[in-house]
Structure formats: structure tokens, C-alpha cells
Amino acid sequence: MRLCQALRNVGKFRTVFDFGEREVAHWFPGHMAKGLKQMRANMKNVDCIIEIHDARIPFSGRNPVFQETLDVRPHLLILNKMDLADLSNKQRILKKLEKNGVRNVLFTDCLKQRDDNVKKLVPMVMEIIKSNPRFNRDENTDYCLMVIGVPNVGKSSLINSLRRTNLKKGRASRVGGEPGITKAVLTKIQVCERPIMHLLDTPGVLPPKIESVETGMKLALCGTILDHLVGEDIIADYLLYSLNRLEKFSYVEKYDLQEPSDDIQHVLKRIAVKLGKTQRVKAITGVGNITIIVPNYTAAAYDFIRAFRKGELGRVMLD
């Protein structure tokens, strides 16, 4: 009876997320503008563009500013973090990308110690380069690739994975769990010996204006925009809405809820109680001030979001 009641309640959940008057912050720091300018200036030295994006949002948030760059060089799109994405409908993704002119696609999990798909990258790149003119680089026996993408999609992780796979060497790029770790512009790093191949690492670059609030929210949920620019409470609410819409209810068991919920305050309160994330606050009463213990909703929201990003709430496809 309880299960039937829970399923009836799910049918009443939100089918549209109310963004209200919210606007996603435009995050375009100075190092992004500098990086984009230098990337364009160095295109003459590049044989192939490696664009990396989050596999959970294969269409949303790809920077349209890159398009003019991609149009003049061979291009390989890497959809990273495939271990976090629901790829049951992979062919739909590939067909839609092909319709948009993207034919060379590789899914990867670059944090995995050994990823067989990463082994395919160099042969794929060589095949792509051979089928396209090398402009003024025909006489060069080494190859140069440029890695581009929005922040926190795994550019540095890819470079380190390629070095592990092809050179048996450790990491050359710093990896972090929040956007904006790589600020150096066009660092040249060798990733293969035969053939000699270098990658130009670049900082993550967001478009100066994100196309829609929903696109911005998906980027924020995947950790591409700093949380505080959007608000942890809003990101957590959009996450709950997305999980319910996709019928991914693993959060119920993880946080000891009795049933799925569409009320973010209820869910965050439950998370705070379960994890002991509470805080003392002073309350004014008619007989004086008293100290009470209340749930720390911000800390609970952060834990909820982090669990999603680590894959603890199951694989999802937000696009």
C-alpha cells in the first residue's frame, strides 16, 4: 500500500523547473579571455583540436565561441566522465552529434587507471589528421594537438591519462574537483613517443553569455560553474527535480528517506539529520533569547550535490 501511495505521489511531482527570475552568473575571468585569444593565435601550429566535454551533458554548454576555431582544423570530441553518464541511449547521442557536424566522438573515463578508450585516441587522431591537409606543417614529423573545453570536464585528466598510457609517466597537469584549476595558457606537454605527439593544455573557457538558464543550471550541476555563483540551494533543488524526472530514486535509500520527495527542504533536512550537519542559532522569544539546534541546509545541499558528482546517486543523462 505504501509503495502504491509513493508511486502516486511521484506522478504529482514537478514536470517543469521554475527558474523564476533567476539568472546564471556570467563567469568569464581574465585568464579565460587571455586563453581564448592565445588559442586563436597559435592555431597555425596545431594539427587537430581535441574538444572535451562532460558525457552527462553532451549537447548543453559546449562553447559556441570554439566553433570558428573548430571549423578550420580537424576535430575530435571526447565525452569524458562516461562512468557517471547513463549511456543506454548512446546511439541517439551519436546521431544527434553527427547531425550537428560532429563525426569523430570518443567516450572516456580519464580518472580510471586503465581506460581502453584512451588507448584509441592516438590512432583515431592519426587517422583524422591523415584525411585532412596539414596546412604549413607537412614537413613536420611530430604532431601537435590543442585541448579545449569548458572548465572541469577533464582536460588535465585526459593529458595525465595519455601520459600514463603511452609514456608510462605520471601526471603533468594538476587535477581538481572545481572549475578554474588550469589557468596557464598553452602549456605544451608530450603525450606520445611513437609518433611524437604533444598536447597544448588550455584553461577551461565558458562563453561570455550562457545561452539559457537551464543550460547554465546543467553546467553548474556538473561542476563547471563555481557553486556559490549560482547558489548551492538552487543547484540542489534542480538536482532533485532532475533525479525525479529521470526516475532515479537512489537518493531515497542513501539518505534514509521513506519515499521519493519533490520538496527540497524536506530532503535537505533529512540529509542534515542523517549526517549530523546541524548548527546552533539564537532565537528571540518573549522571555529572552534561547539557543536552538537547526539543520545546516547549506552543508546538506553541498553533500547532496557532491554525491551526484561522485556518481553515488547513479548514472544520469541530463540532456
Side-chain angles (χ1 to χ4, degrees), residues 210-276:
I210 295 169
E211 62 187 41
S212 72
V213 177
E214 183 148 23
T215 293
M217 201 64 75
K218 290 178 182 179
L219 288 167
L221 185 51
C222 292
T224 295
I225 301 173
L226 287 169
D227 292 343
H228 72 269
L229 293 177
V230 181
E232 288 87 349
D233 57 336
I234 300 171
I235 299 173
D237 193 18
Y238 185 75
L239 169 58
L240 180 64
Y241 158 77
S242 298
L243 292 174
N244 287 336
R245 179 176 58 85
L246 297 168
E247 299 183 353
K248 303 282 186 179
F249 302 125
S250 57
Y251 69 88
V252 174
E253 182 178 355
K254 178 174 176 60
Y255 295 116
D256 294 338
L257 275 69
Q258 292 185 334
E259 61 187 23
S261 174
D262 198 31
D263 182 350
I264 189 59
Q265 294 301 312
H266 169 71
V267 172
L268 294 182
K269 183 177 180 179
R270 183 63 232 165
I271 294 173
V273 170
K274 176 178 172 59
L275 302 179

Side-chain angles (χ1 to χ4, degrees), residues 94-156:
L94 293 173
K95 285 180 181 178
K96 187 171 179 179
L97 286 169
E98 185 173 4
K99 189 176 179 181
N100 294 337
V102 181
R103 293 176 178 80
N104 303 305
V105 182
L106 187 65
F107 290 84
T108 62
D109 173 10
C110 291
L111 289 181
K112 194 175 178 181
Q113 199 62 26
R114 289 172 178 263
D115 181 3
D116 290 338
N117 284 357
V118 171
K119 294 179 182 177
K120 299 175 184 176
L121 189 144
V122 171
M124 276 187 75
V125 165
M126 291 305 300
E127 196 65 35
I128 293 169
I129 292 174
K130 285 177 182 176
S131 61
N132 291 272
R134 290 189 73 199
F135 301 94
N136 62 331
R137 292 179 51 78
D138 282 334
E139 71 285 356
N140 289 18
T141 57
D142 61 321
Y143 298 89
C144 184
L145 319 177
M146 183 182 287
V147 184
I148 64 174
V150 298
N152 202 29
V153 289
K155 294 182 295 297
S156 298

Side-chain angles (χ1 to χ4, degrees), residues 28 31-46 48-52 63 65-70 72-73 144-150 155 182-187 200-206:
F28 199 71
H31 74 271
M32 289 192 184
K34 179 182 177 184
L36 191 57
K37 184 177 180 181
Q38 293 197 16
M39 286 156 61
R40 287 169 174 157
N42 278 269
M43 284 307 298
K44 63 181 182 296
N45 301 318
V46 173
C48 184
I49 296 288
I50 307 292
E51 181 191 0
I52 308 183
N63 192 338
V65 177
F66 290 145
Q67 196 59 50
E68 60 190 77
T69 303
L70 302 182
V72 297
R73 283 293 183 279
C144 184
L145 319 177
M146 183 182 287
V147 184
I148 64 174
V150 298
K155 294 182 295 297
T182 301
K183 293 184 172 64
V185 177
L186 298 177
T187 303
L200 293 178
D201 193 10
T202 63
V205 178
L206 284 166

Side-chain angles (χ1 to χ4, degrees), residues 271-284:
I271 294 173
V273 170
K274 176 178 172 59
L275 302 179
K277 295 184 181 295
T278 57
Q279 57 189 352
R280 294 175 179 271
V281 299
K282 285 187 177 181
I284 301 173

